[in-house]
Every structure is written in C-alpha cells, then in structure tokens.
Amino acid sequence: MRWRNSPTRYGLTSIALHWLVALAVFGLFGLGFWMVGLTYYSSWYRTAPDLHKSIGAVLFLVMLLRVLWRFVSPAPAPLASQGRLTQTAAKLGHGLLYVGLFVVMVSGYLISTADGRAISVFGLFDVPALVTSIPNQADSAGLVHEYAAWALVIFAVVHALAALKHHFIDRDATLRRMLGRN
C-alpha cells in the first residue's frame, strides 16, 4: 500500500488519519461525558480534564495535518456506481464532519483558556490563552462545546451507518477503500 492516495484508492496516510481521528473523537466524547460527573474528591478530578485538553490539542494538530494532506494528496474519485446525489451528500457530510470537529475543538480551547491560563499539553508545551475577552466565555463556549460534541458524535454514527449501508446493501467498495482493502 502506498502512503499517498491514488485516483482509485486511499493511501495509508489518509486511512491512518481517518481512524486516528475517529478513535480520538469517540474517546474524547466518552472521557468528557464521564468527567463532568466527577466530584472534587475523585482522584481523576484534575487528571481527566488535563488529559481531555491534551488529547484535544493534539487532535487539533492532527486535523490541521489532515486538512493539509487533503490538498497534498486529494481523495480518490467517487465510485462510478454512485449517483450525483450520493456524491453531493458525501461531500456535504465530510465537510460537516470537518466543521464540527473544529467547532468542538475551538470551543474547548475557549473554555479552557477563558481564565487567561494556557493549556499544558502533556507537560510538553503550552497553548497560550489568546482570547479571554468574550463575555461569559467559559459558559458560552461550554454550551457550544457540549451541543457540538453531541452533534458531531451523532453525525459520525450516521457516517458509519452510511458506510455500512454502502458495504452491505449497495455492495460497493466505499468501506473497503477506507479499510485499505480495495
């Protein structure tokens, strides 16, 4: 398998970035959902949010790389068996997933830096607090973060169900291409 995409296949880089982002999104969602219920006396009270922020910051960098990679190595052409409506829905769906990811990450950043403190990423480097002047920043960004995260995960599940529909009902190579088996 090649690193770059070809006109008919996804390359290893695109496949790895896709599944890494999927794993991170569902992992961060689960961690976020769990950590909001922690009490002050939990041993994870400080650790879970720090882990969530660090993974989120790394995911932001991965997503920047993924966007850049799409320009360097464009996605394969749509399958000949897919109609115009399916192709348009796929482009719109992927665009919404990308926008949703960035909305969740930027709102998370705004929550975390609202008090003017930087985000420490695994103790390796800090992401500075550049925006701190939005009224009720933490609360407003928190609502956006919560609703956008739910929307993103629901939409990602719909995305996965569409891939399964292509595989089991349409019997086309959509899912196999993202598994590197086409």
Side-chain angles (χ1 to χ4, degrees):
M1 173 168 286
R2 297 181 162 192
W3 291 100
R4 294 176 62 116
N5 298 334
S6 76
T8 59
R9 300 178 70 153
Y10 285 101
L12 187 57
T13 304
S14 293
I15 293 169
L17 288 171
H18 174 271
W19 293 109
L20 178 64
V21 169
L23 179 65
V25 165
F26 283 97
L28 283 169
F29 184 81
L31 178 59
F33 190 76
W34 172 72
M35 75 183 191
V36 295
L38 295 174
T39 66
Y40 180 78
Y41 299 103
S42 171
S43 61
W44 282 91
Y45 183 75
R46 293 214 191 287
T47 306
D50 289 344
L51 185 60
H52 188 83
K53 293 174 199 179
S54 290
I55 296 170
V58 171
L59 179 59
F60 183 79
L61 296 174
V62 169
M63 280 305 298
L64 290 178
L65 174 65
R66 190 169 182 195
V67 169
L68 177 64
W69 185 251
R70 284 189 67 98
F71 288 106
V72 171
S73 184
L79 296 172
S81 63
Q82 294 176 347
R84 193 155 195 61
L85 180 61
T86 300
Q87 292 177 27
T88 301
K91 284 183 183 179
L92 180 62
H94 285 107
L96 287 173
L97 285 168
Y98 276 67
V99 168
L101 274 158
F102 282 109
V103 167
V104 170
M105 291 183 290
V106 169
S107 61
Y109 167 81
L110 292 173
I111 297 166
S112 300
T113 59
D115 62 1
R117 285 185 285 179
I119 300 169
S120 174
V121 180
F122 297 114
L124 300 173
F125 62 93
D126 289 343
V127 178
L130 300 174
V131 180
T132 59
S133 60
I134 299 171
N136 301 316
Q137 181 169 322
D139 292 336
S140 299
L143 282 175
V144 170
H145 191 70
E146 180 181 3
Y147 288 116
W150 275 102
L152 178 63
V153 165
I154 290 167
F155 201 70
V157 168
V158 170
H159 175 70
L161 290 173
L164 292 172
K165 180 245 183 214
H166 279 284
H167 188 73
F168 291 109
I169 295 173
D170 300 341
R171 299 202 185 278
D172 67 23
T174 301
L175 181 60
R176 288 191 310 274
R177 289 199 316 180
M178 192 42 73
L179 294 171
R181 294 187 179 152
N182 183 22

